[in-house]
Amino acid sequence: MRVAARQAKNPNNPAWSLLQQRWQTLVDSSMETTTAYQRGAVSIGYIVKAAEQVQRVAAAVSAGVVLETTLAMYLLREERPARFQSDRAFAFELARRVRGLTDCNAGTYWDAKTGKAKRVYRDLTPKAMEHLAAQLAATFGGAGVFIAGLERTEADKAREDQQALCKALEALQ
């Protein structure tokens, strides 16, 4: 929501289209990786898995939604760093949130005991998650850190204004 507000505040800024182009470059690169694998080229499994995930997300979700989700994760990291035990934990959660935009991380199975289909969530292997997160960080990380800094600066200014008002009210007789 705050990322969307920032975009609405600066709708003509070329950063948004440049970031969407960077996403498209990542999508194209992952397409090349999966195509080469399908043609029989020697490939590393976790890189192919990460590329497949990028393809699935790109097929189901617009670049703007991926951009907004990723930047929002960086805002969350800036505001609540204690939510992530490490940089690796943040990277995994970033990859999970982007994968969570589609059903590519979910599957179903039939539970004979209850007679219902159950939904289960499947994570990628740790190496594939790390690779996907590294790709997302390389694509959007700089912008995420910058926008988080802008938000922090605005929040600090609002806090200073509030403190100044409180001091002025205390001085009233």
Side-chain angles (χ1 to χ4, degrees), residues 2 7 9 25 42 47 54 58 69 79 81-83 86 93 97 100 108 114 121 128 140 151 154 162-163 170:
R2 288 183 18 219
Q7 285 178 318
K9 190 175 178 181
T25 300
V42 176
I47 293 175
V54 170
T69 301
E79 290 177 2
R83 288 188 60 108
S86 65
E93 194 59 31
R97 291 302 102 224
T108 58
T114 62
Y121 294 94
F140 300 119
E151 290 288 324
E154 287 182 5
Q162 183 66 29
Q163 288 174 349
E170 287 175 356

Side-chain angles (χ1 to χ4, degrees), residues 23 25-26 29 54 80 96 136:
W23 170 248
T25 300
L26 177 58
S29 172
V54 170
R80 297 187 183 152
R96 278 189 198 105
L136 291 169

Side-chain angles (χ1 to χ4, degrees), residues 1-10 16 64-65 67-73 75-76 79 147 151 154:
M1 185 166 174
R2 288 183 18 219
V3 174
R6 172 94 34 206
Q7 285 178 318
K9 190 175 178 181
N10 302 286
W16 310 122
V65 173
L67 172 64
E68 188 174 333
T69 301
T70 306
L71 296 179
M73 285 298 296
L75 286 176
L76 179 63
E79 290 177 2
I147 289 175
E151 290 288 324
E154 287 182 5

